[in-house]
């Protein structure tokens, strides 16, 4: 169960540097011993960051670049979604932290079966939306004070929701629209929940197949993901790991699992373009 931020168990002291914050005790250099529960640390300092092992923060920037407004970018993405109302409700009911620069940090808790190792930090100045996560990364908590102001809790919601399915679509969108940041080239390629699971680009092939059979693929990604799956199965067929007949049945089954279901004729076209007999 998600905990209110003031019950976060993995927090550490942060110090201001160049208009931002860094860890006072870098975790890669022995700083792990300085990780304390928030309730303990708040007695010693006001500048506290949560370690992002089990938390994802959507960082919405405002006016960091000319004409770039993260709030507008997010709203435009939400407006194109069929689950717009659910997204709005989820954001209303999760912890939000207003930054001194009038941006906002939207907190979500990772489901138990995922860890920060399944993700990478994504910085996208083109959208004004960043994805903050990682066992060596942090996000300032309410009450932290910077030279230009304080981080404040947005409303009376103090607990992060467990990451909903649409969040992983947003991560993919932010990553896919980031053309200039080398740091994100090996980032999240396909992630989804409800289906609470994560597929990284280097997920083992057999695991990818099983996950596809359980969850299928989402609208907008079905054809590309089906092509990737069939490409994997082609290798299995050529190396006598699976029969041709079983592979056909498998992709048809995955097609039925997709949201919405992928037409068998479309699957056949993809199959024929990849598997050469």
């Amino acid at each position: 169960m998600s905990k209110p931020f003031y019950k976060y168990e993995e927090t550490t002291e942060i110090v201001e540097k160049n208009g931002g914050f860094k860890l006072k005790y870098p975790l890669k250099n022995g700083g792990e011993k300085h990780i304390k529960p928030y309730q303990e640390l708040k007695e010693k300092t006001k500048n506290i960051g949560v370690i992002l092992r089990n938390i994802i923060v959507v960082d919405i920037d405002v006016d960091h670049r000319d004409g770039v407004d993260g709030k507008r970018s997010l709203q435009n993405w939400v407006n194109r979604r069929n689950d717009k109302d659910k997204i709005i409700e989820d954001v209303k009911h999760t912890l939000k932290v207003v930054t001194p620069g009038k941006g906002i940090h939207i907190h979500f808790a990772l489901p138990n079966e995922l860890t920060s190792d399944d993700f990478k930090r994504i910085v996208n100045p083109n959208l004004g939306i960043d994805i903050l996560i990682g066992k060596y990364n942090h996000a300032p908590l309410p009450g932290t004070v910077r030279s230009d102001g304080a981080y404040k809790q947005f409303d009376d919601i103090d607990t992060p929701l467990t990451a909903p399915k649409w969040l992983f679509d947003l991560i993919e969108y932010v990553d896919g629209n980031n053309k200039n940041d080398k740091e994100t080239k090996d980032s999240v390629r396909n992630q989804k929940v409800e289906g609470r699971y994560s597929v990284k680009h280097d997920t083992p092939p057999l695991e990818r197949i099983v996950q596809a059979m359980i969850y299928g693929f989402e609208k907008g990604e079905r054809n590309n993901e089906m092509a990737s799956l069939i490409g994997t199965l082609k290798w299995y067929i050529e190396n006598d790991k699976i029969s041709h007949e079983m592979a056909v049945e498998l992709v048809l089954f995955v097609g039925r699992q997709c949201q919405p279901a992928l037409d068998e004729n479309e699957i056949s076209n993809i199959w024929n373009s990849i598997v050469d007999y």
Side-chain angles (χ1 to χ4, degrees), residues 157-194:
I157 305 298
D158 56 20
T159 305
L161 283 180
T162 299
K165 177 186 173 299
W166 62 261
L167 176 62
F168 297 90
D169 294 338
L170 176 63
I171 291 172
E172 184 177 7
Y173 171 72
V174 172
D175 186 41
N177 280 270
N178 194 0
K179 304 302 183 184
N180 299 318
D181 193 340
K182 293 181 180 179
E183 179 182 357
T184 66
K185 285 186 178 179
D186 292 326
S187 188
V188 179
R189 288 293 175 265
N190 176 40
Q191 315 210 30
K192 42 177 121 168
V193 164
E194 168 147 291

Side-chain angles (χ1 to χ4, degrees), residues 44-215:
K44 302 176 181 179
T45 180
K46 60 186 176 183
N47 287 353
I48 301 173
V50 58
I51 302 302
L52 300 176
R53 296 188 212 268
N54 302 304
I55 299 293
I56 298 179
V57 173
V58 181
D59 179 7
I60 308 299
D61 295 327
V62 179
D63 296 331
H64 279 211
R65 290 180 59 185
D66 291 342
V68 177
D69 185 328
K71 292 181 181 178
R72 185 181 302 114
S73 296
L74 179 60
Q75 187 63 60
N76 289 341
W77 180 80
V78 171
N79 286 339
R80 295 194 293 268
R81 300 278 300 188
N82 293 329
D83 53 355
K84 173 181 176 180
D85 292 342
K86 183 179 188 307
I87 295 173
I88 292 172
E89 283 301 305
D90 286 344
V91 172
K92 282 182 180 178
H93 292 94
T94 196
L95 170 65
K96 298 171 290 295
V97 179
V98 180
T99 73
K102 306 306 179 186
I104 192 163
H105 288 175
I106 307 173
H107 287 228
F108 293 96
L110 283 177
N112 292 334
E113 60 268 32
L114 298 183
T115 72
S116 61
D117 290 337
D118 294 307
F119 304 88
K120 290 190 177 182
R121 182 173 179 265
I122 303 171
V123 177
N124 192 325
N126 301 314
L127 290 175
I129 302 175
D130 302 332
I131 306 298
L132 309 182
I133 192 168
K135 59 187 177 183
Y136 298 123
N137 295 319
H138 74 280
L141 289 174
T144 296
V145 178
R146 205 167 66 185
S147 58
D148 58 342
Y151 288 77
K152 300 178 181 179
Q153 190 174 323
F154 179 80
D155 51 27
D156 60 353
I157 305 298
D158 56 20
T159 305
L161 283 180
T162 299
K165 177 186 173 299
W166 62 261
L167 176 62
F168 297 90
D169 294 338
L170 176 63
I171 291 172
E172 184 177 7
Y173 171 72
V174 172
D175 186 41
N177 280 270
N178 194 0
K179 304 302 183 184
N180 299 318
D181 193 340
K182 293 181 180 179
E183 179 182 357
T184 66
K185 285 186 178 179
D186 292 326
S187 188
V188 179
R189 288 293 175 265
N190 176 40
Q191 315 210 30
K192 42 177 121 168
V193 164
E194 168 147 291
R196 295 176 182 166
Y197 90 93
S198 167
V199 179
K200 294 197 296 183
H201 68 286
D202 56 351
T203 300
L206 182 58
E207 184 177 339
R208 290 179 58 234
I209 293 171
V210 172
Q211 290 170 340
M213 293 176 68
I214 296 172
Y215 302 109

Side-chain angles (χ1 to χ4, degrees), residues 215-230 248 250-271:
Y215 302 109
F217 305 123
E218 295 293 301
K219 183 178 181 180
E221 66 181 27
R222 295 174 303 165
N223 286 35
N224 288 340
E225 292 297 336
M226 183 62 77
S228 176
L229 173 63
I230 291 173
V248 170
L250 192 153
V251 297
L252 291 175
F253 179 83
V254 171
R256 292 192 292 271
Q257 295 293 95
C258 292
Q259 298 296 325
L262 192 57
D263 182 78
E264 289 191 9
N265 289 331
E266 186 65 27
I267 295 173
S268 178
N269 290 336
I270 299 170
W271 178 278

